[in-house]
Amino acid sequence: MIGASWTLSSAVLGDTRQVNVWTPAAQARDGRRYTVLYVLDGALDQDFQHVAGLAQLGDLSWTFEPVIVVGVQTRNRRAELTPPASDARYVSAFPEAGGAAAFRRFLETEVIPFVEARYPASGRRALAGESLAGLFVVDNLRIPTLRATLRRVRSAPGRSITSSNANPGRPSMRLKQMIRALLIGASLAGCEMQPGAGPSSKTTVDAPAGTRTVRSADGTEIAFAVAGAGQTALVFIHGWSCDSGYWDAQVPAFSNQYTTVAVDLAGHGRSGAERRRWSMAAYGQDVAAVVRSLPHRRIILIGHSMGGYAALGAARLLPERVIGVVGVDSLQDLDGQATDEAGAEMLLAGLRRQPMETTRGFVLETFFTERSDPALARRIADDMATAPPSVSVPSMEALMRYDPKPTASALRMPVVAIIGEMMPVDETAAKRLVPGFRARKISRAGHFVQIEEPDTFNAELRSELARIEAGRTSAGQTAAARQGSTFHPSPVTSPSPSMATP
């Protein structure tokens, strides 16, 4: 471990919290007093160790001004870092929110006095937060103990920092450089990814260029982003409680050859959530609505986890345009034999009772291997836990009830599964439903194959896309020869695999 760890009993929170402190190597002998950087989400299994490690590296290399780093543990980020909601929709969707004032008092009256009574603090303070904690920082610029000369310093995307100088005037340039270096480095070490980089905050942000909307069959507005100008369109579909940002390592990699389309299913990302009935069929209709709005005649659907089943539904609705389906850690149990009904009911019961805590635990315990990056796993779990329960719970219920066999057996096109190392696949059973089913396994990856091993996954996906298109071309040439001249595109079966997990 880097630094020292304290357990602080908080009268304000009625709870104990971990407070971790790292000090510069010279502080024990040079008699100096230092700026203190307070890092939210700062437990040992949160952000403290990599921020303190970067501060240590900067101190050793004289890259920037040395600071004392204090990591402050959070337990329920949505409750502790958010003000009370005023919109009735959010009051009902996030009943635990609204504890920011208490957490601010905890910092102001307990953490800061505790630290500064024990360590050589200069009175210059900075408060750092990532994602939701960054919003807490911005919302609390008025904290009395940080007031002296409060200024927000721009740092890595999704992160905010407020600096306080005991003497009037602007924060020093070296302090700004230190803050930027620490937070940009922390971002590279495993930041919570914004849309386009994997897990993202559910807070609405400005839509990227190329974003469009279309109405699904039930009228729900579906958002999607288009890039590239290839003749074949790749439609990327995210999984349960995720969003289109989980494909950010794929969209730029494929948009130079294909048209890429990243969809936010209803209730996710930027799409509407007014739906009354949540089902896999409705999600398939979301994808079909997006496909119908495209001019392309060749579509390949690529769905992660629950998105793989949405892709199946859309492919069945549009057999004349969809030429292949790729499941990403999905579709490996097309015959439903691996379903654990008792486990599913336990999960649903937990989601109904404590959606945030149950989601976080489920994701951490189920979706990652022992070799997975723990910081990435935690950030994905935290991100998915912020999904609105009004969407996540009925969607999981629908997924548990869904029988893919009728839809899969009706497809006459390649179905490929690119999966991680955790879940087994019965290709023999799958091929009874889809004769051309083919599965490809990527070692070292858990459920989020496209994020954990993006280079390997992209290479595998590129190979499978080429096979799907080659099979389509070959089938078209055969059909044209039989008809004498003109080729009219129609779905065909060609070798290909598929698999995934909820």
Side-chain angles (χ1 to χ4, degrees), residues 173-470:
M173 184 58 66
R174 292 194 71 207
L175 176 59
K176 288 185 179 182
Q177 291 170 341
M178 174 273 296
I179 289 168
R180 286 195 182 94
L182 280 176
L183 294 184
I184 291 172
S187 176
L188 293 174
C191 69
E192 182 169 10
M193 294 171 276
Q194 301 302 317
S200 65
S201 168
K202 298 300 184 294
T203 302
T204 301
V205 297
D206 292 339
T211 296
R212 308 175 189 176
T213 60
V214 68
R215 295 285 178 179
S216 191
D218 64 356
T220 304
E221 188 173 75
I222 305 301
F224 60 101
V226 180
Q231 291 186 347
T232 299
L234 309 182
V235 179
F236 291 96
I237 311 156
H238 62 79
W240 177 73
S241 293
C242 301
D243 58 39
S244 57
Y246 281 62
W247 296 109
D248 257 30
Q250 284 68 54
V251 168
F254 289 90
S255 56
N256 61 340
Q257 181 180 355
Y258 299 90
T259 297
T260 60
V261 182
V263 179
D264 282 327
L265 296 171
H268 299 75
R270 299 178 183 86
S271 290
E274 304 81 14
R275 177 161 291 162
R276 294 183 179 181
R277 178 179 171 81
W278 300 89
S279 67
M280 293 303 102
Y283 283 135
Q285 290 281 7
D286 296 347
V287 178
V290 170
V291 171
R292 291 187 182 107
S293 74
L294 302 173
H296 304 75
R297 302 304 303 172
R298 296 197 304 274
I299 307 288
I300 300 175
L301 304 178
I302 304 165
H304 174 245
S305 192
M306 184 185 78
Y309 299 100
L312 287 183
R316 186 175 184 180
L317 293 171
L318 300 167
E320 73 284 356
R321 297 181 64 184
V322 177
I323 65 172
V325 175
V326 179
V328 180
D329 214 56
S330 181
L331 311 181
Q332 62 266 60
D333 183 32
L334 286 177
D335 63 356
Q337 294 303 308
T339 301
D340 177 2
E341 294 185 3
E345 286 305 318
M346 288 181 61
L347 173 61
L348 290 173
L351 288 173
R352 296 181 189 114
R353 187 174 60 254
Q354 292 182 303
M356 178 178 284
E357 293 79 2
T358 301
T359 298
R360 185 181 289 112
F362 170 62
V363 172
L364 288 172
E365 294 169 11
T366 308
F367 289 161
F368 297 95
T369 72
E370 293 181 354
R371 291 180 289 185
S372 296
D373 178 357
L376 175 64
R378 180 177 58 80
R379 282 171 172 77
I380 290 178
D382 286 348
D383 180 68
M384 293 177 67
T386 64
S390 58
V391 176
S392 64
V393 177
S395 293
M396 181 58 77
E397 291 173 342
L399 182 58
M400 294 298 187
R401 291 193 303 265
Y402 180 64
D403 180 2
K405 292 193 291 293
T407 300
S409 61
L411 298 183
R412 297 295 180 266
M413 62 188 67
V415 176
V416 179
I418 304 176
I419 63 173
E421 66 177 27
M422 297 187 303
M423 297 294 290
V425 58
D426 187 342
E427 289 195 61
T428 301
K431 287 180 178 179
R432 284 197 292 266
L433 292 170
V434 182
F437 178 89
R438 185 173 65 256
R440 311 293 295 174
K441 182 165 284 194
I442 295 179
S443 60
R444 303 183 306 279
H447 183 50
F448 294 88
V449 186
Q450 78 277 26
I451 297 173
E452 292 191 67
E453 296 290 335
D455 293 339
T456 304
F457 172 80
N458 289 353
E460 195 70 61
L461 177 59
R462 197 176 299 279
S463 174
E464 294 301 330
L465 294 175
R467 292 185 67 171
I468 290 172
E469 292 208 277

